[in-house]
Amino acid sequence: MTEADVDAVSGVRVRGRQTAYRGLMPRAHLDAMSVAEDARRRRERFRRRRPGVVELVAERAREVREVVGRVAVGPAGMPISPWTAAG
């Protein structure tokens, strides 16, 4: 994933949540979700991501490249509790 993918990823995220949570969350809340606002926040996070984090996009090849999903992998964001740490 590059910073150029952020707008497309935000579109997938917002539309996906609006679809997945329809009937479970207030419609006004879902309708108020903004792709532009999500992209602004995602761009900030992308620029500040931790070392070792890898973000990938899934694309559907057509005449125009279409982002259809995203995944991020890497170290956990929260420290592991001493009660759950292995070893």
Side-chain angles (χ1 to χ4, degrees):
M1 179 171 158
T2 68
E3 194 169 341
D5 296 315
V6 169
D7 291 324
V9 166
S10 289
V12 169
R13 284 172 42 85
V14 169
R15 287 188 303 278
R17 288 181 178 185
Q18 288 171 327
T19 300
Y21 293 112
R22 186 78 56 201
L24 300 172
M25 295 183 73
R27 184 179 183 126
H29 172 75
L30 295 171
D31 290 345
M33 295 177 82
S34 164
V35 172
E37 181 58 26
D38 186 84
R40 183 191 65 75
R41 287 190 310 267
R42 182 135 313 280
R43 195 167 276 109
E44 288 176 15
R45 288 186 193 120
F46 185 82
R47 292 174 183 156
R48 294 182 289 124
R49 68 185 180 272
R50 293 182 305 275
V53 172
V54 175
E55 295 183 70
L56 305 171
V57 294
E59 318 176 323
R60 182 178 4 222
R62 293 191 171 176
E63 290 179 19
V64 176
R65 178 177 167 257
E66 179 186 10
V67 172
V68 295
R70 169 201 165 260
V71 65
V73 296
M78 299 291 288
I80 296 176
S81 162
W83 298 280
T84 59

